[in-house]
């Protein structure tokens, strides 16, 4: 399947739940680069995003348990490969 994982309503729902969870748990920094996450403002490099723990391309699901909160910068540069901080 070549469909984008980010466009589905299932992903959007899971993403919203995951970000809500991360915020409620007090996740303030990106686990990769330790930048302070911004949950309110979109389209900034430290904007809180969700990353697939198991990449969609490798069979990962659009489920809240397979999403990790990280910054937009890391999410965009990572792709489906593991990334070192
Ligand atoms: Zn980061």
């Amino acid at each position: 399947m070549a469909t984008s994982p980010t466009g589905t309503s299932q992903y959007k729902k899971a993403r919203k739940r995951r970000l809500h969870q991360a915020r409620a748990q007090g996740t303030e920094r990106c686990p990769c680069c330790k930048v302070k996450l911004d949950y309110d403002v979109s389209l900034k490099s430290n904007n809180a995003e969700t990353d697939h723990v198991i990449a969609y391309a490798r069979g990962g699901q659009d489920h809240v348990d397979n999403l990790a909160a990280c910054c937009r910068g890391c999410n965009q540069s990572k792709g489906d490969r593991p990334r070192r901080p």
Side-chain angles (χ1 to χ4, degrees):
M1 269 203 298
T3 47
S4 166
T6 54
T8 67
S9 61
Q10 191 190 5
Y11 175 78
K12 284 177 186 166
K13 260 188 247 171
R15 175 182 177 277
K16 200 172 168 187
R17 276 184 61 190
R18 187 64 189 90
L19 289 178
H20 185 78
Q21 258 181 19
R23 198 171 193 178
Q25 287 165 353
T27 306
E28 289 196 334
R29 291 184 182 274
C30 173
C32 301
C33 69
K34 313 297 180 199
V35 76
K36 197 170 192 315
L37 292 172
D38 192 328
Y39 288 92
D40 297 311
V41 184
S42 315
L43 306 177
K44 295 204 315 190
S45 64
N46 68 331
N47 181 209
E49 296 252 325
T50 52
D51 188 25
H52 287 81
V53 177
I54 301 166
Y56 189 78
R58 297 183 184 189
Q61 299 293 305
D62 289 336
H63 188 271
V64 65
D65 291 341
N66 189 39
L67 297 175
C70 72
C71 77
R72 180 179 164 86
C74 286
N75 194 22
Q76 291 192 329
S77 60
K78 183 180 150 184
D80 66 348
R81 282 162 297 147
R83 183 178 192 272
R84 297 207 162 272

